[in-house]
Amino acid sequence: MINVKSKSISIKAILLTVLLPIVVYAVLSCFRPDIYLQKSTFIMLLTQALSNVIIGWSMVFGMSVGLFDFSVGARILLAAFFGVHMSQRFGIAGFVIGCIVASIIIAILTGLIYASLKIPSIITGFSALLIFESLAVMYQNRITVIIGDDISIFGTSPGIYIVSVITFIAVYALFNNTKFGYQIKAIGGNEAVAKSMGINSVKIKLLTYVVGGLILAFATMVKVGYAGTITARTNMSSMSMCFTPMMGVMIGLYISSCNPVIGVFIGSFTITIVSSGLVALGIESRLQNVVVGIFLILFIGWKTNFYRIQELIRKRRHNNIPLQE
Amino acid sequence: MKKIIVLLLLVAMTVSLLAGCNNSKGNDSQNTTKKTDDSKDTKDTADTKDTSGDKAAKGEVKPLKYGFISWGTADEHGRTLNAAVEWAVEAAGGEFVMDGSAISAESTIAAAENLIQAGCNIIAFCTYAGEASVPQISRLCQENKVYWTMWDTTISDADIRAMIEQDPYYVGNTNEDQYDAGYKTMKAMAEAGAKNTIVVKYGVNIPTCDERVEGATAAAKELGVNLLYEIVAPEDYKKAAQDALVAYPDADSFFLAGAGSQSPSLAAAMREAGKNKFYIGAFDYFDQMGDELKDGALTIINGGHMVTGTFSALMAINAYFDTPLSEDKYMVTIPYLTLSSYEDYEAYIQYASQGAAYTSEELQKYLKVYNPDLTLESFQEGVSKWSIADIKERKGVN
């Protein structure tokens, strides 16, 4: 009996989790069945979402303990330039090792600034963004940015799927089956209580930067391979690179019916479908961000106020019953 | 230990302070002398200018120190731009001084002050960091009687435009005809076979970008090319291109109004959509463009406008040598260097990027002291020839 009940609960959780992208996709399919009922469109959207999903996974550790790091975009750029530079000397191995080494070093530096100086993560992120963005511009000016065809395997099928699956397994295991993951959840739940239990929150937060840096290296590889190019950005414009993944993480953390790691995927995939759908519906591209923003507000607003809304509906029903009688 | 560090810091600070005093003193005296001489020179020049007429024809080659302001020489455009200005200054027998620190309106003004202090007779800058620097630089140049010009710039603020019209030391500016470049790019794409185009703009309300698109739109209308959709400032160019290709599966081309380095992303989107034959017209050179032209992913690309600095220098030098091309302020339109094949790319690299596109003799034809027949019209006519074909012809390459 208990087994049947828990089975039905988990099926319900799965359905609730995948409901969001399915509903959005179904709505778009009604408007443009010629596009959205094609297998190639679905695969394209899935591929598009993956680089943001991996960036989101790199942020999920930090965001779970309340760290907001806007330097992610600048860190991707700097690691990418180093990786591309290394690829010109040592081929694809140089690219992989270059991205990983650079990304981890940059993450450690950012984490150390946060942990040693006790500066709020947002301010640390902005400072790191300014520094790494400028360094990326200078780096780009000193190298010839030519992305070889071999690098594109990370951004095309099957390479992008292999990297994504490996990253998912690693992130899922780290988040759900390790002491580190439990400590993150404890700090995210209540930092004061976690501290009183003997968890060194500063050390764990520093570790989230390092682990996030490693995951970000995979995201960098996928992003460069997917775009086939990389360009430095100035005036904090690299910050926009982390907005979509961040929204994905927020949606992921708010989908209470599933694990946050899966939620990040669901969130990022949903945003990708929404933004793609706006083009398909012929909505002016300037309005797309407005619609994505409104979608996010509505979704998080609904999730945050879910019980209040339920209560309101219940009260209204309750009030209506005597009237009908 | 702390005491030792404090002592070392104190010594270092004292030394640097004293060194600074020594330098500034030296510079001051040097600059003052130079400036006095220059002031005299430029005052004379200004006086001459007032009564130009026949005196204009009696111009002479004078000692020249040309100050050029830019963001530096680290990138391809900055490097070739500074080199191209040096060609002009060398042709005039002058000394080229560069200040590569201008990354904002404030630092552009500071660079102008530094160059004037260094004794430059002419300074040149661009308003890529904003037009706010123009009134201040105009005032500085008038105070110090230094000629000035702007490269790759068109002033959009009516008040600033009116103000510099009254400045006797302002010569004029150079810029590209964005509308014409957009028109020609779309025309080349249509001639290559483009029929359904997606326009990609790199920003919102940027006159340069908008004018290019206006030109492209006019050409598309004229040649029967359908403009299907407009992507504006996407965060992810490839994703935006893929979304547009899904919505408009008939699209066979992209008009990229700037940010040429994103061309590989657009090409990849086309290939992944199963399109083997497509057309991309772009602006702004990038490192991978040779490969993209070679494999046919790029139909046409515009850039190579480093000579905008060369010709604005020649305009100002003519004025400084008492042979102004016009008594009024004037603008010279510089064409883009358009590449439409790998051979064009090779010629650009060999003769314009790594070599000097013009010899001193060729550039002296744009100076009235060497070429008395030179007029503003013939100057503009010569400038308009700037192209790969023109470079090859002058270099004797078929």
Side-chain angles (χ1 to χ4, degrees):
Chain A
M1 185 68 186
I2 293 165
N3 273 345
V4 173
K5 200 178 177 186
S6 69
K7 222 175 201 177
S8 70
I9 288 169
S10 60
I11 289 168
K12 195 184 168 192
I14 292 167
L15 283 175
L16 277 173
T17 304
V18 294
L19 194 66
L20 183 65
I22 287 175
V23 167
V24 175
Y25 202 89
V27 170
L28 288 172
S29 299
C30 292
F31 284 106
R32 292 292 302 264
D34 55 323
I35 294 172
Y36 286 95
L37 292 181
Q38 282 185 27
K39 188 182 154 197
S40 59
T41 304
F42 181 80
I43 291 171
M44 187 202 80
L45 291 173
L46 187 67
T47 314
Q48 279 183 356
L50 287 179
S51 63
N52 284 334
V53 169
I54 304 177
I55 297 173
W57 282 334
S58 81
M59 299 168 87
V60 75
F61 297 100
M63 285 177 72
S64 296
V65 292
L67 298 178
F68 284 86
D69 182 8
F70 291 99
S71 71
V72 164
R75 283 159 53 191
I76 288 177
L77 291 176
L78 196 52
F81 284 125
F82 187 69
V84 169
H85 195 186
M86 289 300 108
S87 76
Q88 288 163 3
R89 293 179 180 206
F90 309 108
I92 198 162
F95 176 68
V96 173
I97 295 167
C99 285
I100 292 173
V101 169
S103 188
I104 290 178
I105 291 174
I106 296 164
I108 290 172
L109 284 174
T110 315
L112 280 176
I113 295 169
Y114 167 76
S116 59
L117 300 176
K118 305 272 191 298
I119 301 171
S121 64
I122 287 186
I123 296 169
T124 307
F126 280 127
S127 315
L129 179 148
L130 286 169
I131 295 165
F132 299 138
E133 201 175 64
S134 303
L135 288 175
V137 172
M138 287 190 271
Y139 201 166
Q140 185 191 12
N141 291 340
R142 276 163 180 75
I143 60 166
T144 305
V145 184
I146 292 181
I147 315 290
D149 286 341
D150 48 351
I151 289 174
S152 68
I153 62 160
F154 293 107
T156 49
S157 176
I160 190 166
Y161 300 118
I162 295 168
V163 176
S164 302
V165 168
I166 293 170
T167 313
F168 169 72
I169 292 167
V171 172
Y172 191 89
L174 270 171
F175 200 83
N176 299 299
N177 302 98
T178 61
K179 190 180 161 191
F180 171 63
Y182 292 127
Q183 286 175 329
I184 283 177
K185 285 171 200 162
I187 295 168
N190 190 324
E191 191 170 348
V193 174
K195 274 181 180 174
S196 69
M197 285 159 62
I199 296 172
N200 185 341
S201 69
V202 175
K203 188 182 144 196
I204 295 299
K205 284 180 180 178
L206 177 60
L207 265 177
T208 64
Y209 276 101
V210 181
V211 174
L214 176 66
I215 308 300
L216 202 62
F218 296 122
T220 305
M221 286 183 244
V222 166
K223 202 144 183 84
V224 175
Y226 171 73
T229 184
I230 188 87
T231 311
R233 301 189 186 194
T234 52
N235 300 324
M236 300 175 92
S237 60
S238 69
M239 199 160 63
S240 62
M241 286 170 79
C242 70
F243 285 154
T244 308
M246 208 173 248
M247 286 193 283
V249 177
M250 283 176 186
I251 292 175
L253 294 174
Y254 270 91
I255 302 175
S256 50
S257 57
C258 78
N259 188 283
V261 181
I262 299 167
V264 171
F265 171 78
I266 297 293
S268 295
F269 187 46
T270 307
I271 290 172
T272 305
I273 298 170
V274 170
S275 63
S276 164
L278 297 172
V279 179
L281 297 177
I283 293 173
E284 197 189 342
S285 56
R286 289 183 192 91
L287 277 173
Q288 285 172 28
N289 285 342
V290 175
V291 178
V292 172
I294 290 171
F295 171 78
L296 191 73
I297 291 169
L298 288 177
F299 176 76
I300 300 207
W302 174 65
K303 289 300 285 184
T304 311
N305 299 291
F306 183 69
Y307 294 108
R308 281 175 62 196
I309 294 167
Q310 265 191 333
E311 184 66 15
L312 204 73
I313 293 168
R314 198 187 59 78
K315 272 184 183 170
R316 283 209 170 166
R317 273 187 190 159
H318 183 74
N319 289 339
N320 283 343
I321 292 166
L323 281 174
Q324 282 168 353
E325 280 173 348
Chain B
M1 187 62 185
K2 275 183 183 172
K3 277 182 183 174
I4 294 169
I5 293 170
V6 169
L7 270 173
L8 279 171
L9 270 173
L10 269 174
V11 170
M13 284 167 70
T14 315
V15 167
S16 61
L17 271 174
L18 288 173
C21 292
N22 185 39
N23 276 346
S24 59
K25 197 179 173 186
N27 285 343
D28 280 348
S29 60
Q30 205 181 352
N31 288 338
T32 313
T33 320
K34 183 69 193 163
K35 231 173 93 183
T36 316
D37 292 342
D38 290 342
S39 303
K40 191 169 177 282
D41 284 346
T42 44
K43 176 92 171 61
D44 290 343
T45 313
D47 288 344
T48 311
K49 202 181 173 190
D50 290 339
T51 55
S52 58
D54 55 356
K55 267 196 175 184
K58 293 173 189 169
E60 54 171 340
V61 177
K62 290 190 279 190
L64 163 68
K65 204 169 187 179
Y66 190 90
F68 186 71
I69 300 166
S70 72
W71 60 88
T73 56
D75 66 313
E76 170 74 359
H77 186 38
R79 186 183 64 76
T80 53
L81 178 72
N82 276 269
V85 177
E86 209 168 348
W87 305 336
V89 179
E90 266 179 24
E95 183 190 344
F96 175 76
V97 186
M98 69 154 280
D99 188 314
S101 64
I103 50 165
S104 63
E106 292 74 22
S107 54
T108 306
I109 295 167
E113 280 172 341
N114 291 340
L115 290 172
I116 291 169
Q117 283 297 310
C120 289
N121 311 100
I122 304 170
I123 62 164
F125 67 101
C126 171
T127 58
Y128 55 81
E131 292 180 356
S133 59
V134 178
Q136 179 70 353
I137 292 178
S138 168
R139 191 185 58 76
L140 278 169
C141 288
Q142 285 186 71
E143 279 172 13
N144 293 283
K145 299 180 172 57
V146 168
Y147 282 97
W148 64 284
T149 175
M150 290 182 289
W151 50 272
D152 214 352
T153 291
T154 300
I155 296 295
S156 57
D157 187 302
D159 293 337
I160 296 177
R161 227 172 25 234
M163 195 200 92
I164 59 174
E165 279 291 319
Q166 307 302 317
D167 182 344
Y169 293 93
Y170 170 58
V171 179
N173 61 303
T174 56
N175 208 345
E176 301 85 20
D177 187 339
Q178 309 296 354
Y179 180 93
D180 187 55
Y183 181 93
K184 284 178 177 163
T185 302
M186 180 53 81
K187 195 177 173 208
M189 288 165 65
E191 283 168 359
K195 287 187 171 56
N196 298 298
T197 304
I198 293 166
V199 173
V200 187
K201 292 170 84 172
Y202 64 90
V204 184
N205 297 332
I206 298 173
T208 304
C209 181
D210 292 343
E211 284 168 25
R212 287 171 183 170
V213 174
E214 278 169 28
T217 307
K221 249 184 202 170
E222 205 175 297
L223 301 162
V225 177
N226 301 314
L227 297 186
L228 302 173
Y229 188 69
E230 194 173 279
I231 297 170
V232 181
E235 158 55 29
D236 183 335
Y237 276 75
K238 188 174 172 187
K239 184 192 176 303
Q242 282 183 324
D243 291 342
L245 286 172
V246 163
Y248 303 95
D250 294 337
D252 59 8
S253 48
F254 283 108
F255 177 85
L256 185 54
S261 60
Q262 298 297 335
S263 301
S265 294
L266 304 186
M270 279 284 192
R271 286 195 195 99
E272 284 171 27
K275 295 171 192 286
N276 294 320
K277 187 70 190 158
F278 55 87
Y279 313 91
I280 297 176
F283 283 81
D284 301 337
Y285 286 175
F286 59 102
D287 291 340
Q288 269 171 281
M289 66 181 175
D291 293 339
E292 297 286 304
L293 284 164
K294 202 175 195 175
D295 68 16
L298 200 55
T299 310
I300 182 168
I301 182 156
N302 300 285
H305 42 302
M306 68 275 205
V307 291
T308 189
T310 316
F311 290 108
S312 62
L314 292 165
M315 287 160 58
I317 293 168
N318 271 313
Y320 173 67
F321 284 172
D322 301 335
T323 53
L325 293 177
S326 168
E327 284 308 306
D328 299 322
K329 320 300 175 195
Y330 59 99
M331 188 184 103
V332 168
T333 306
I334 314 282
Y336 279 106
L337 199 61
T338 303
L339 311 181
S340 51
S341 68
Y342 187 68
E343 289 69 38
D344 286 352
Y345 169 76
E346 282 185 316
Y348 160 72
I349 292 295
Q350 188 177 351
Y351 302 115
S353 175
Q354 289 167 7
Y358 290 98
T359 62
S360 285
E361 291 72 34
E362 285 166 347
L363 288 176
Q364 280 173 354
K365 287 177 190 163
Y366 292 95
L367 292 171
K368 215 165 178 174
V369 283
Y370 295 108
N371 176 16
D373 297 332
L374 182 73
T375 61
L376 180 56
E377 289 72 31
S378 61
F379 187 93
Q380 175 65 70
E381 198 182 322
V383 172
S384 302
K385 285 181 185 168
W386 172 245
S387 62
I388 288 292
D390 170 54
I391 295 172
K392 282 181 173 174
E393 193 187 317
R394 283 186 286 103
K395 301 291 176 191
V397 185
N398 290 322

